[in-house]
Amino acid sequence: MAAISTVSRVAFLASDIVLHSQPSGSFAESYKTLSDTTRSRRPSVQSVPAGGDPGVSILRLASGASLASFTSSFTSQSTLRLVLLAAELSSLPLVLHIAVQDDLSDVLLLQSAFPFFVISYTPQEAHDNALLASRLARAEKKAVVHVFYELADGPVVDIAEEDVQPFLLSEKVASGTNVDTPEPISALYQLYGSAALSTSTLTRRPSVPLTIQGDGNPDIVVFVLGNIPSISEIDGVSFVSIGLLAPLSPSHILRAIPPSASHVLVLEQLRRSNTKWTPLYLDIVDALQERQAHSQVSVQSVWFTNAEQLSPPNLLNLVHTTSNTPISSPLHLQNDVLSSPHPSVPHVPKHESSYTKILSHIFGPRLEISNSPELVPTEGNIATSPEYALGRIRGQLDQRAQLIDSVQTLMEVEELSTELHRLLAQWLQVKDDGSKSRAVGAQATAALESSQLSNGLVDRILALKAYFPSKSRWILGSDAWAYDLGSSGLHHAIASGLDINILILDTLPYSSRNATDPHRRKQDVGLYAMNHGDVYVASIAVYSSYAQALQAVMEADRHKGPSVVLAYLPYDGENSPALELLKETKLAVDSGYWPLYRWDPVKEARGEEPFILDSDAVKNDLQQFLDRKNHLSQLVRSKPQIATELVSSLGESVKEARRRKAQQAYDDLLVALDAPPLLVLYASDGGTAEKHAKKLVNRAKARGMTATIGTLDSMTIQSLAQEEHVAFVTSVAGQGEPPQNGRQLFKALNAATQRNEKPFSKLRYTVFGLGDSHYWPRPEDAHYYNKPGKDLDLRLEQLGGERFVDLGLGDDQDADGPQTGYKVWEPKVWKALGVDSVQVTEAEPEPITNEHIKAASEYLRGTIAEGLEDTTTGALAPSDTQLTKFHGIYQQDDRDIRDERQAQGVEPAYSFMIRVRTPGGVCTPEQWLQMDQISDEHANGTLKITTRSTFQFHGVIKRHLKPSIQKINRVLMDTLAACGDVNRNVICSAIPSLSKLHHRVYEFSKLVSSHLLPRTTAYHEIWLDKKMVAGEAVKDFEPLYGEFYLPRKFKIAVAVPPYNDVDIFANDLGFIAIVDEDGDLEGFNVTLGGGMGVTHGNKKTYPRIADVIGFCTVEQGPLVAEKVMLTQRDNGNRVDRKNARLKYTVDRMGLDNFKREVEDRLGFDLAPARPYSFESNIDHFGWTAGEDGRHHVTIYIENGRVQDEPGKEFKTGLREIAKVHKGTFRMTANQHLLVSEIPPEEVPRIKALLAEYKLDNVNYSGLRLSASACVAFPTCGLAMAESERYLPVLVDKVEKICEENGLRHDSIVMRMTGCPNGCARPYVAEVAFVGKAPGSYAMLLGGGYYGQRLNKIYRETVSEPEILAILKPMIKRYALERHEGERFGDFVIRAGYIAPTTEGKLWYDRMGGEGEHREISTV
């Protein structure tokens, strides 16, 4: 540890600030010792917590320091975090001293991120380079990376303590170097040279970038980056030890490689590399390319890990081996042997498992894939050849035939025992049965082995015992066979007559069907096989019909003879998402390009129809399908029975159709020859810009153009400069910012513009921007409208690009939304590209929507199970993320670090939110403890009580999903239907004082929730490992929902007057409890049509409060809920999800018509509504005694976040309460918690625990007790602004205003959401803030205190200073002028601040304030 001690000493003596990363062991000990013993100076020594971000700490603490030092033992995490902040850190007087052991893989990432990078191999070098780095960083105000080997040993001559500061402050010494390298490298090297010369003058030891040893005229030069033993002399070899990695000039490299050298070996101590070739290797290759020499120098890269591998004999062997046999890829030195790692088993593309899993699932141990890649290690690469597999199968079948013959012959032997004869006879009867042949064969084998019978047939049978079980033998092939059927192995398999099954995967995407080689004609394998007459043929597509695929595979196995199954699996590569496969499959099947069918020649022999079409699109249009030249152009039987007239007319029509199509194709080709290729780049967060970009690409391809698509961030300036015609499509994020997947290119363009570069001399471009002119209505904010599109158009021009079409803008406020502007812009594109005259007749493919995904999901299965097993990504496929919502799961990512991870080149930090279904919000102490444990073991350590009275877990990574859900189910809870287009968690009032009534409404809530629960078994199969029987996939059934489920989510609440704590009017369906004079539940008033979600700027969307439509009894309630939901199911908008909620259906149909249809379905009319009244929609905190003598206490949980904080260890406290509590917990819709049903004798114990953990504190302002917020950042993918993390800060400031005006204890309902979807029900709050961009909110006023009235937009855009400026005089006036009992929401209407909202459709009317309080808008 000498190196750590000496580096710590230099850092301590040289720096003003010293930071070290915990746990840092020896560094911490060294600094403690130095603090105790050093006399001259004591810098500030700070530690960075384990797992903390060192870069952030350095930026915070090192500001203003003349020199800061950071010391740390290497971790890949800290290195990556330093890289992310390298731009800011590089300009600080900073030295990063990083100790490594035997691997430089990750620390080399810092080489290109920082201006200086030096490396030390001995403790003395570490001492000298620490001094050099300190002087260089202090003098030049630039960061220096100093890497040293912490385990290196050796003597150290330390500089005297009193000499360190004078050395750092001494004048610069001219380096005297004369390097002919271009700027800025030469300038940086001059700075390094000056510092090195000063250091050498002080220490009397050389500080050089490269140390050369060995032969003066070598044939081989070895560059060494790593800690190796002392180098011995080897004739003809020189060794170059790297001491300076940056800046390392080509001239220094070339000086180390004399003209005599013909081979260069780059030896680096790495366990892995982030790129194939390391930066040092590339620097050496680049330097050699500059040399004008007649001889060619070969360069080879070798990685090693253990220095002991490089003993002198091994080093000599390595040098000569690599010089004699140069290899074109890096070599690894492993156990003294050079190797190029390669997998022993060929890689199988992950998507192909979709079909192999079906085979494994159906056949289990019977399955034998005869050309499986797993055979390669034993049989060589030829084992995967289908032709080779055919030979293997023929041999196996011959062997089984010999077994059968031997068994039959043995049964004729007189000495055979009766039992053995019985077993062999039984096996012959079941020899073709997959399971029975295996079981009986095992018994027969055991009997033969124990038999005393001496007969050669016994030995022969035992030698063939492996063939007792009947196998399902399969060969997997590709569509390559379809190009040369006559001479391919497929022809031989079909003609063989063997009982063999062939699965042929066709991976050509439908959208690429016309991009194949025109000189290679792909024939129809299915038609070819059917023409043979005795072959079973099926065409399947697992992403279209899973049931048909199962049925076809089982029929193929039953067929005695060859079977050919054509399987469609359209993908371009490993990273093709499942949604893309689903889309391509849908297009192919719906268009008839890939018909689903089954052909069984056995049926034909029985006189039955042998051909069955399974794809509906083809059934409806059979004649057109027969005319197509796709995979099935004619139906031909082995014995032709088609009338001559039909055949001839069919032939003529086909000829004429082909002639017309050929002429059209020729005309299009002539146009396409002149049309330039088009690249379409998009930046999109919500998907709208992406859809427009894909539409543009599809239409370009339909015009015969070569068109490609990508995100803005998929291109660099250099690659963009090589393009000729590029169309950009971008939307807006936040306050005029570009979307997430376009920000890197925007930054690069802005930087290039500042440098006055002109890289786009050959680029012709056009830009289409999408925005909302009303989103920022104030005059000073008007420039945010379509800002990214406008900025991009200007930047491209400034960088030398030429517009081929002027900027196009789409505005959400236009009659057709952005389509209005797009319809004007797109024709100009085709005209500019010369393809406007091409007639496009092919219909555009229908976009895949949530409705398609639901229908194709096999009742919510999709490919979720396969996605969970995919360890290459932390995410699920986009289509599956729509389905997991039905299972109570949302995919999210940490948006706080999204930009950092993108800069690193890694995927977002994906995690998942799990929402539990808890009808009525009630759980037992045992269930609470399980939820608490799950949050610690699988989530982010906190629990979230939601506005629908249930638990939410955040930060659950993919591999923890299944364990979490299984643990939830173990305590009789689940997550099914907690989200998705179904009825979600049914909530009810907490009402602690009315125990009997609460029990009734709670049981009613559970009954309704259970009655409307989806019936699919997918949840249990995927999460609880309840295995699916193959045939059951076809029989799964949803009696209420059907395969499409609901158009949108559906929410139900049950309220008990006088408390509307569930905000009954904000729900799709509500039940208001009506009690008789004795307090017994008589029934419910039914409310209908509430809903919160809105889209900013889209006036077709609005919140709505529910209407009371009648009264029903308790027994009628579940049936009423069912019929209302079914009416919505059948009448809701399935085209536009933004207008799909029940509230829009009610307004579209009319309330009376909707009610009439519900009553028609019920078979009776609802009774007239009964009287009721509400007083508030907030919770009432503190202790309450119930009618049954049990006690209840309502606990304040700010925004529902149950966590431990300094001084507020709520999570621990509730855990301790749950351990002893004998009642229940009730979660409220306002995100608070009741500890309920406490026996009187347990009250003191519960009170003591509440006091111990400060859970009994309700001494908060009325404003804070009435506030509520959704989660928003960092996890919610829809959030536009902060909510849960910011509302407490805002309440701190607003409650001061309230206190100044004597309103501390007055309740004002304030709510905040991070987006307009309304999870915290902001549109019925008295004052609300709805996020639009970071730090920017829409402000709403005038909601009813008990949720009976919608509020209205008062200001469309406000920030915190404006919020406080508006509320301060408003609250003061409320305090002075309010009437007795008048609530804040009522006052702002009476005082003329805002107009009342009388119904949802009028929500936008008179928005922006009234009279003198009206906001002036640009629109």
Side-chain angles (χ1 to χ4, degrees):
M1 295 295 181
I4 287 183
S5 298
T6 192
V7 170
S8 301
R9 180 175 179 272
V10 172
F12 188 88
L13 295 174
S15 310
D16 298 329
I17 298 286
V18 177
L19 297 95
H20 62 94
S21 183
Q22 294 179 337
S24 53
S26 299
F27 282 115
E29 294 172 9
S30 296
Y31 293 133
K32 186 176 185 305
T33 303
L34 289 165
S35 296
D36 294 338
T37 59
T38 303
R39 302 181 306 277
S40 60
R41 58 183 279 110
R42 286 187 176 84
S44 173
V45 179
Q46 304 285 340
S47 63
V48 179
D53 190 331
V56 172
S57 298
I58 294 169
L59 289 173
R60 178 168 52 86
L61 297 172
S63 176
S66 57
L67 178 65
S69 293
F70 171 71
T71 58
S72 173
S73 292
F74 165 75
T75 65
S76 58
Q77 185 183 38
S78 61
T79 302
L80 289 173
R81 287 176 170 173
L82 289 171
V83 170
L84 293 175
L85 294 172
E88 293 89 340
L89 296 174
S90 294
S91 59
L92 293 177
L94 167 69
V95 183
L96 303 172
H97 298 284
I98 299 178
V100 297
Q101 292 188 0
D102 58 0
D103 181 24
L104 300 174
S105 302
D106 285 319
V107 79
L108 288 181
L109 292 172
L110 302 174
Q111 175 186 348
S112 58
F114 289 91
F116 300 100
F117 189 115
V118 295
I119 183 165
S120 306
Y121 303 106
T122 67
Q124 188 64 66
E125 286 183 5
H127 170 272
D128 294 352
N129 279 332
L131 283 171
L132 188 157
S134 299
R135 177 179 173 91
L136 182 57
R138 176 167 182 147
E140 307 305 337
K141 301 293 189 289
K142 295 182 184 296
V144 182
V145 178
H146 173 216
V147 174
F148 63 97
Y149 281 82
E150 62 177 278
L151 299 180
D153 202 8
V156 181
V157 178
D158 285 320
I159 184 175
E161 178 182 322
E162 59 273 13
D163 291 339
V164 174
Q165 285 299 316
F167 164 68
L168 297 176
L169 299 173
S170 62
E171 293 185 5
K172 288 186 184 180
V173 180
S175 64
T177 55
N178 183 20
V179 289
D180 51 353
T181 54
E183 294 290 340
I185 297 297
S186 60
L188 288 175
Y189 187 79
Q190 290 281 1
L191 299 177
Y192 166 81
S194 174
L197 187 56
S198 296
T199 306
S200 298
T201 303
L202 175 70
T203 62
R204 304 298 179 184
R205 289 181 293 273
S207 295
V208 292
L210 304 176
T211 303
I212 303 173
Q213 295 176 261
D215 199 314
N217 293 297
D219 180 56
I220 300 169
V221 178
V222 181
F223 282 84
V224 180
L225 182 62
N227 193 25
I228 65 172
S230 57
I231 300 170
S232 58
E233 292 284 339
I234 301 177
D235 288 341
V237 180
S238 71
F239 293 89
V240 182
S241 180
I242 306 293
L244 175 70
L245 265 180
L248 184 59
S249 67
S251 62
H252 279 82
I253 294 173
L254 292 177
R255 288 182 192 137
I257 307 174
S260 61
S262 61
H263 183 73
V264 172
L265 180 63
V266 183
L267 194 58
E268 298 176 86
Q269 194 166 17
L270 308 173
R271 293 187 183 276
R272 58 183 173 77
S273 176
N274 297 296
T275 56
K276 179 179 180 180
W277 301 112
T278 64
L280 177 60
Y281 174 89
L282 295 175
D283 285 344
I284 293 172
V285 170
D286 287 344
L288 286 169
Q289 288 177 349
E290 295 183 13
R291 172 181 283 178
Q292 301 298 323
H294 299 293
S295 60
Q296 184 70 29
V297 179
S298 62
V299 185
Q300 179 60 53
S301 175
V302 177
W303 306 344
F304 72 96
T305 53
N306 189 351
E308 294 177 359
Q309 294 171 324
L310 297 177
S311 61
N314 288 347
L315 196 56
L316 179 62
N317 180 56
L318 172 65
V319 168
H320 289 302
T321 301
T322 55
S323 61
N324 293 331
T325 57
I327 303 172
S328 60
S329 61
L331 297 175
H332 299 249
L333 187 60
Q334 298 173 341
N335 299 323
D336 304 337
V337 177
L338 282 174
S339 64
S340 294
H342 56 84
S344 56
V345 177
H347 172 66
V348 178
K350 65 177 182 180
H351 291 299
E352 295 188 9
S353 65
S354 302
Y355 287 104
T356 55
K357 283 182 180 178
I358 289 178
L359 297 178
S360 300
H361 176 67
I362 294 175
F363 303 119
R366 285 187 58 214
L367 176 65
E368 181 174 292
I369 298 178
S370 299
N371 60 335
S372 170
E374 295 177 358
L375 298 170
V376 169
T378 57
E379 302 191 28
N381 290 325
I382 196 173
T384 59
S385 161
E387 291 78 9
Y388 180 81
L390 179 61
R392 287 184 71 244
I393 291 176
R394 185 184 292 276
Q396 291 170 350
L397 293 176
D398 287 345
Q399 296 272 56
R400 196 164 199 261
Q402 291 177 27
L403 174 66
I404 295 170
D405 182 64
S406 299
V407 169
Q408 291 171 337
T409 305
L410 181 62
M411 290 178 64
E412 298 173 2
V413 175
E414 293 182 1
E415 294 83 2
L416 195 67
S417 68
T418 303
E419 176 62 18
L420 190 53
H421 188 281
R422 184 188 67 79
L423 286 172
L424 293 176
Q426 186 181 357
W427 180 79
L428 286 173
Q429 289 179 332
V430 299
K431 67 180 186 300
D432 294 327
D433 186 293
S435 58
K436 293 180 180 178
S437 64
R438 177 179 297 274
V440 178
Q443 295 175 13
T445 299
L448 285 168
E449 289 175 340
S450 61
S451 171
Q452 302 299 319
L453 185 63
S454 178
N455 190 306
L457 287 170
V458 174
D459 295 334
R460 187 176 180 187
I461 290 172
L462 289 175
L464 297 170
K465 66 182 180 181
Y467 299 100
F468 271 118
S470 173
K471 296 277 190 179
S472 180
R473 293 181 170 86
W474 290 80
I475 295 177
L476 270 58
S478 72
D479 56 349
W481 272 342
Y483 291 103
D484 192 9
L485 289 175
S487 60
S488 70
L490 182 64
H491 167 76
H492 299 299
I494 290 173
S496 70
L498 298 175
D499 187 7
I500 183 174
N501 305 301
I502 304 167
L503 182 74
I504 299 177
L505 297 175
D506 191 324
T507 60
L508 178 68
Y510 174 77
S511 59
S512 304
R513 65 196 185 282
N514 297 323
T516 54
D517 186 350
H519 301 293
R520 300 184 68 209
R521 182 164 175 258
K522 188 174 180 179
Q523 302 175 56
D524 193 320
V525 174
L527 184 58
Y528 180 85
M530 282 191 290
N531 271 307
H532 203 273
D534 62 346
V535 182
Y536 176 89
V537 184
S539 174
I540 66 176
V542 69
Y543 280 89
S544 178
S545 176
Y546 183 73
Q548 189 254 2
L550 290 174
Q551 193 169 1
V553 168
M554 290 188 286
E555 288 178 357
D557 177 66
R558 286 197 296 266
H559 180 69
K560 301 307 174 188
S563 298
V564 175
V565 179
L566 308 172
Y568 195 48
L569 191 68
Y571 69 94
D572 289 317
E574 289 275 1
N575 296 323
S576 297
L579 182 61
E580 197 65 30
L581 273 69
L582 176 68
K583 174 183 175 182
E584 293 288 345
T585 302
K586 181 181 185 301
L587 291 173
V589 173
D590 289 353
S591 68
Y593 171 79
W594 190 272
L596 305 182
Y597 65 83
R598 288 168 286 137
W599 165 274
D600 190 346
V602 175
K603 289 184 177 180
E604 186 179 32
R606 296 199 300 258
E608 301 174 12
E609 174 57 52
F611 185 84
I612 299 174
L613 277 170
D614 294 309
S615 45
D616 292 336
V618 182
K619 287 179 183 175
N620 296 337
D621 208 5
L622 180 58
Q623 187 60 52
Q624 288 86 340
F625 170 62
L626 294 174
D627 288 342
R628 288 177 184 161
K629 61 168 188 167
N630 290 320
H631 289 241
L632 190 63
S633 56
Q634 297 182 52
L635 305 182
V636 181
R637 299 188 178 190
S638 56
K639 297 177 182 178
Q641 299 171 359
I642 303 177
T644 307
E645 297 84 10
L646 178 60
V647 173
S648 59
S649 65
L650 176 63
E652 291 303 316
S653 63
V654 169
K655 286 180 182 177
E656 178 60 22
R658 287 179 175 172
R659 188 194 65 76
R660 288 196 303 269
K661 193 162 187 177
Q663 183 62 45
Q664 181 64 41
Y666 178 72
D667 294 341
D668 291 347
L669 177 62
L670 292 179
V671 174
L673 289 174
D674 295 326
L678 178 66
L679 171 63
V680 179
L681 298 177
Y682 67 87
S684 176
D685 278 340
T688 305
E690 181 179 0
K691 289 176 183 176
H692 281 77
K694 289 180 176 177
K695 180 191 298 184
L696 188 68
V697 167
N698 290 335
R699 293 180 176 180
K701 290 179 178 177
R703 286 168 169 76
M705 298 180 65
T706 301
T708 52
I709 190 170
T711 64
L712 263 69
D713 280 352
S714 66
M715 298 292 285
T716 63
I717 289 182
Q718 292 74 20
S719 55
L720 191 57
Q722 305 304 313
E723 300 293 335
E724 293 185 19
H725 291 82
V726 183
F728 297 87
V729 183
T730 179
S731 56
V732 186
Q735 284 185 290
E737 299 166 3
Q740 197 74 33
N741 52 6
R743 293 183 181 177
Q744 297 304 313
L745 184 61
F746 265 85
K747 290 177 183 177
L749 294 175
N750 289 334
T753 303
Q754 300 231 343
R755 296 192 296 267
N756 294 320
E757 295 178 358
K758 301 286 184 182
F760 296 151
S761 57
K762 58 184 285 190
L763 175 68
R764 301 189 68 209
Y765 72 92
T766 182
V767 177
F768 183 77
L770 295 96
D772 182 351
S773 59
H774 198 75
Y775 199 83
W776 303 104
R778 300 184 305 185
E780 61 267 30
D781 295 334
H783 65 285
Y784 293 138
Y785 166 62
N786 253 317
K787 188 173 185 296
K790 296 173 182 176
D791 288 351
L792 180 60
D793 182 68
L794 178 61
R795 293 289 178 269
L796 293 170
E797 180 186 38
Q798 291 172 335
L799 295 172
E802 177 188 352
R803 293 184 193 86
F804 66 85
V805 172
D806 287 340
L807 171 68
L809 298 177
D811 189 350
D812 285 348
Q813 298 302 316
D814 286 340
D816 293 330
Q819 280 297 308
T820 303
Y822 184 82
K823 289 175 183 176
V824 174
W825 176 77
E826 187 193 295
K828 296 179 181 178
V829 174
W830 307 138
K831 185 173 183 179
L833 297 174
V835 292
D836 53 320
S837 61
V838 177
Q839 184 178 2
V840 178
T841 57
E842 184 176 343
E844 285 191 41
E846 182 184 357
I848 290 182
T849 65
N850 285 58
E851 299 303 308
H852 296 115
I853 293 171
K854 287 184 283 187
S857 70
E858 291 293 338
Y859 295 101
L860 309 183
R861 287 174 176 83
T863 57
I864 297 172
E866 291 83 354
L868 291 172
E869 295 176 3
D870 182 3
T871 58
T872 63
T873 175
L876 292 173
S879 58
D880 287 337
T881 62
Q882 297 302 317
L883 299 176
T884 54
K885 295 176 184 178
F886 292 80
H887 299 257
I889 299 164
Y890 275 80
Q891 179 174 295
Q892 302 175 331
D893 73 287
D894 190 337
R895 296 177 64 179
D896 284 347
I897 60 172
R898 186 185 283 176
D899 288 343
E900 296 177 16
R901 292 182 67 85
Q902 185 175 13
Q904 290 177 256
V906 295
E907 71 176 10
Y910 288 115
S911 65
F912 294 82
M913 179 271 282
I914 299 177
R915 184 181 295 153
V916 183
R917 185 176 65 91
T918 317
V922 176
C923 75
T924 66
E926 294 76 16
Q927 291 171 332
W928 182 278
L929 289 172
Q930 183 76 302
M931 301 302 105
D932 181 89
Q933 182 181 350
I934 291 169
S935 71
D936 286 336
E937 294 180 356
H938 301 292
N940 64 357
T942 71
L943 286 169
K944 174 74 172 178
I945 299 175
T946 76
T947 54
R948 296 206 66 75
S949 307
T950 189
F951 297 100
Q952 254 178 215
F953 302 103
H954 292 272
V956 182
I957 59 176
K958 187 166 74 172
R959 70 173 182 270
H960 285 208
L961 279 175
K962 186 178 282 190
S964 299
I965 292 178
Q966 289 175 345
K967 288 181 179 179
I968 291 169
N969 278 263
R970 281 194 202 115
V971 289
L972 304 181
M973 302 175 83
D974 61 50
T975 64
L976 178 61
C979 323
D981 299 340
V982 288
N983 173 58
R984 298 192 177 183
N985 196 49
V986 179
I987 59 177
C988 73
S989 291
I991 48 170
S993 59
L994 304 175
S995 307
K996 180 180 175 182
L997 185 56
H998 177 266
H999 179 72
R1000 290 291 307 277
V1001 296
Y1002 169 56
E1003 291 298 324
F1004 177 78
S1005 302
K1006 289 200 298 181
L1007 181 62
V1008 172
S1009 179
S1010 176
H1011 183 65
L1012 302 183
L1013 201 62
R1015 304 303 176 194
T1016 177
T1017 59
Y1019 181 84
H1020 299 83
E1021 292 163 14
I1022 295 170
W1023 306 108
L1024 306 182
D1025 294 328
K1026 305 290 185 183
K1027 298 302 180 186
M1028 175 183 68
V1029 177
E1032 289 180 354
V1034 185
K1035 299 176 184 177
D1036 215 342
F1037 180 57
E1038 284 286 8
L1040 292 180
Y1041 293 104
E1043 63 177 350
F1044 290 96
Y1045 293 84
L1046 298 182
R1048 204 71 166 78
K1049 59 189 173 186
F1050 191 84
K1051 297 181 177 181
I1052 300 177
V1054 184
V1056 180
Y1059 303 118
N1060 186 21
D1061 52 341
V1062 295
D1063 270 329
I1064 194 85
F1065 302 112
N1067 288 265
D1068 296 86
L1069 178 63
F1071 294 94
I1072 301 174
I1074 304 298
V1075 298
D1076 60 19
E1077 294 177 355
D1078 298 326
D1080 292 326
L1081 182 63
E1082 279 192 309
F1084 301 96
N1085 281 351
V1086 181
T1087 66
L1088 181 74
M1092 292 286 95
V1094 173
T1095 300
H1096 282 313
N1098 183 351
K1099 292 191 177 180
K1100 296 178 182 177
T1101 67
Y1102 49 83
R1104 188 185 192 278
I1105 59 171
D1107 296 287
V1108 180
I1109 62 170
F1111 173 86
C1112 71
T1113 65
V1114 177
E1115 294 73 21
Q1116 293 170 338
L1119 189 61
V1120 171
E1122 175 190 319
K1123 301 310 179 186
V1124 170
M1125 191 183 79
L1126 295 184
T1127 304
Q1128 161 65 356
R1129 181 197 68 185
D1130 297 338
N1131 294 280
N1133 187 343
R1134 293 185 182 269
V1135 176
D1136 183 2
R1137 285 182 65 81
K1138 295 184 187 301
N1139 281 91
R1141 287 289 296 275
L1142 174 68
K1143 58 183 175 179
Y1144 302 115
T1145 310
V1146 169
D1147 280 347
R1148 189 176 67 252
M1149 293 178 62
L1151 181 64
D1152 292 339
N1153 291 333
F1154 192 99
K1155 177 185 176 185
R1156 189 177 305 115
E1157 180 164 342
V1158 171
E1159 291 174 333
D1160 289 344
R1161 292 174 185 252
L1162 286 169
F1164 61 84
D1165 291 346
L1166 295 172
R1170 308 281 180 90
Y1172 69 94
S1173 64
F1174 285 126
E1175 295 177 358
S1176 72
N1177 64 358
I1178 63 171
D1179 292 335
H1180 298 272
F1181 300 92
W1183 286 88
T1184 308
E1187 300 164 319
D1188 57 358
R1190 290 180 172 250
H1191 297 262
H1192 313 261
V1193 59
T1194 306
I1195 301 170
Y1196 172 75
I1197 308 289
E1198 190 163 50
N1199 297 322
R1201 182 66 64 180
V1202 181
Q1203 62 185 350
D1204 284 340
E1205 300 177 69
K1208 291 194 294 184
E1209 296 182 345
F1210 287 2
K1211 190 166 184 287
T1212 300
L1214 290 170
R1215 183 189 311 126
E1216 295 304 314
I1217 290 173
K1219 290 177 181 178
V1220 300
H1221 182 37
K1222 295 180 173 59
T1224 59
F1225 291 96
R1226 300 182 195 174
M1227 292 169 282
T1228 78
N1230 288 314
Q1231 302 176 288
H1232 304 299
L1233 182 69
L1234 277 79
V1235 182
S1236 289
E1237 302 175 77
I1238 306 169
E1241 65 273 15
E1242 293 294 323
V1243 169
R1245 184 190 223 175
I1246 299 298
K1247 282 188 173 181
L1249 287 170
L1250 291 173
E1252 179 181 352
Y1253 293 99
K1254 298 182 175 60
L1255 284 162
D1256 59 348
N1257 180 18
V1258 290
N1259 187 28
Y1260 299 106
S1261 68
L1263 176 72
R1264 190 176 296 274
L1265 292 172
S1266 308
S1268 184
C1270 68
V1271 176
F1273 291 134
T1275 52
C1276 179
L1278 301 175
M1280 302 173 180
E1282 291 282 3
S1283 182
E1284 180 187 327
R1285 298 192 296 195
Y1286 172 58
L1287 182 60
V1289 177
L1290 181 63
V1291 168
D1292 286 341
K1293 299 176 181 180
V1294 177
E1295 70 183 355
K1296 289 180 182 178
I1297 299 174
C1298 293
E1299 289 173 358
E1300 290 170 0
N1301 292 279
L1303 300 177
R1304 173 175 172 77
H1305 299 295
D1306 288 73
S1307 172
I1308 298 176
V1309 179
M1310 177 187 287
R1311 293 176 181 167
M1312 177 177 284
T1313 58
C1315 77
N1317 287 298
C1319 293
R1321 304 187 296 274
Y1323 305 112
V1324 290
E1326 294 182 287
V1327 56
F1329 303 97
V1330 177
K1332 300 186 76 173
S1336 182
Y1337 299 84
M1339 181 177 181
L1340 302 93
L1341 291 176
Y1345 180 68
Y1346 56 86
Q1348 81 281 15
R1349 180 181 61 243
L1350 290 172
N1351 53 27
K1352 193 182 290 289
I1353 297 174
Y1354 180 68
R1355 294 290 183 265
E1356 291 194 73
T1357 308
V1358 291
S1359 58
E1360 182 181 290
E1362 294 165 310
I1363 292 171
L1364 300 177
I1366 291 170
L1367 287 179
K1368 188 168 185 176
M1370 192 180 291
I1371 290 173
K1372 181 177 181 179
R1373 187 178 171 191
Y1374 170 60
L1376 295 173
E1377 301 179 14
R1378 60 178 171 165
H1379 294 164
E1380 181 69 27
E1382 186 177 29
R1383 295 295 177 180
F1384 184 76
D1386 301 325
F1387 170 78
V1388 293
I1389 293 173
R1390 183 179 64 81
Y1393 286 100
I1394 195 76
T1397 301
T1398 55
E1399 62 173 308
K1401 289 186 290 187
L1402 302 179
W1403 190 60
Y1404 293 98
D1405 289 0
R1406 297 167 67 184
M1407 59 182 263
E1410 292 284 284
E1412 63 180 309
H1413 306 292
R1414 184 161 185 79
E1415 180 180 34
I1416 298 175
S1417 170
T1418 58
V1419 181

